[in-house]
Amino acid sequence: MAGTPDLFVVCKKCGSEVSPYITECPYCGTRLRKRAPKIDRRSGDATPRPPRRMPRPTLTPLRTNEIPGIRGDAFGRPNATIALLVLSLIGFLVLPFVANSDVALISFGGTTWQFAVAPFMYPNAWYQLAVLLAIGIFGWRLELRHGPVLVVALFIACGIGGNAIAAAAGLDDFILGAPGAALGMLAAWVLPDLARARHGVEYDADLLGTAVLGVVVALMPAFVDGASAVAELSGLALGALAGLMLLRASDTTR
């Protein structure tokens, strides 16, 4: 066929049949041509192209319901939780320069601004560490699940509201900190997963670690002045109620 290269050529010196794509005879070393002939790519004898470079795999943004319990589209950084932690740290730094009686809630009373300021004031570093650790962990997880509005609402209801109930009960000399918010967020987070575990449904909470942290916060009134057991019980009850509502809402949307 026209355009098809010869299968071999004959060396003029030794008479051997050699490949048409070499420049010297392998038998006698006679120079056959100055350079090897060009390969006709249309004939099918062309060398294969090198493989294309594979694209580097990349992670796509988290989609809704891709991970159970985590909403990947609506909520990013836990800004509400971070704001609550920052305000609490500022309150801890300010408290040494003011009298407890000026900012703490007292039995059967308290001004409006004291109700708003007292949850961010901690008279003891260990007390603050336990409470803020719980608020940071469970507020962050709740904010990823349900958004910042729920976290702020739980802090107001369980933290400020729990302190208000404790002040009305009159069992504490003064009240500082927000242990009710810590236990309320803990209950709101873990109660739906406890219900799922009871029914054999997959859950994503560390129940043992949650129980340990809850016990540590619950024991604070026994060692720290200003930590109220009534505020803790009130916040825990309100958080558990919120957890039941979240569980019912998640069941109805499935």
Side-chain angles (χ1 to χ4, degrees), residues 150-162:
L150 176 66
V151 174
V152 176
L154 283 174
F155 188 86
I156 294 174
C158 302
I160 299 177

Side-chain angles (χ1 to χ4, degrees), residues 95-176:
L95 187 59
F97 301 98
V98 297
N100 290 346
S101 58
D102 294 336
V103 294
L105 286 177
I106 58 176
S107 298
F108 306 108
T111 61
T112 303
W113 69 271
Q114 285 176 321
F115 281 99
V117 170
F120 300 104
M121 301 289 182
Y122 294 87
N124 182 280
W126 294 108
Y127 173 38
Q128 182 184 34
L129 177 61
V131 172
L132 294 190
L133 186 61
I135 291 176
I137 292 175
F138 300 108
W140 166 50
R141 303 306 296 175
L142 285 169
E143 192 164 353
L144 286 181
R145 276 187 176 182
H146 307 287
V149 175
L150 176 66
V151 174
V152 176
L154 283 174
F155 188 86
I156 294 174
C158 302
I160 299 177
N163 287 351
I165 294 174
L171 300 179
D172 301 282
D173 296 331
F174 65 95
I175 302 167
L176 289 172

